[in-house]
Amino acid sequence: MHADRKLEYQVGCTTGSEYYFVNLERGKFQSELDSVQLEQIQQLFQWVKPEKLASAYAVNWTDAAMVWLGAEYGDSKVLRIKDYGGRAT
């Protein structure tokens, strides 16, 4: 998500060199938020306090998908979270 309200996201996850996709969608996508949506997401992001989040989360079962969340924000701060099971992100 960029300051100009445009966002990019990638659907799919990889195991080795093979791709397994959710809901039959795959690849990189682009969209644009309206100004109200952007403001809501910015407020939520500030409320969450990303610097206090763990860098990894995991469920306690073994057949879950891996979710990666990445964000660059503020003054060149970077957030990267590895979430096995997709429950935390």
Side-chain angles (χ1 to χ4, degrees), residues 45 49-52 70-80:
F45 199 75
K49 297 180 178 48
E51 64 278 357
K52 295 186 179 208
E72 296 176 17
Y73 64 100
D75 296 325
S76 301
K77 295 178 183 176
V78 177
L79 171 69
R80 299 276 184 255

Side-chain angles (χ1 to χ4, degrees), residues 41-56:
I41 291 173
Q42 287 174 330
Q43 288 176 358
L44 177 62
F45 199 75
Q46 290 171 356
W47 180 79
V48 166
K49 297 180 178 48
E51 64 278 357
K52 295 186 179 208
L53 296 174
S55 62

Side-chain angles (χ1 to χ4, degrees), residues 55-72:
S55 62
Y57 295 90
V59 294
N60 61 359
W61 55 88
T62 60
D63 60 345
M66 182 72 71
V67 175
W68 294 90
L69 173 65
E72 296 176 17

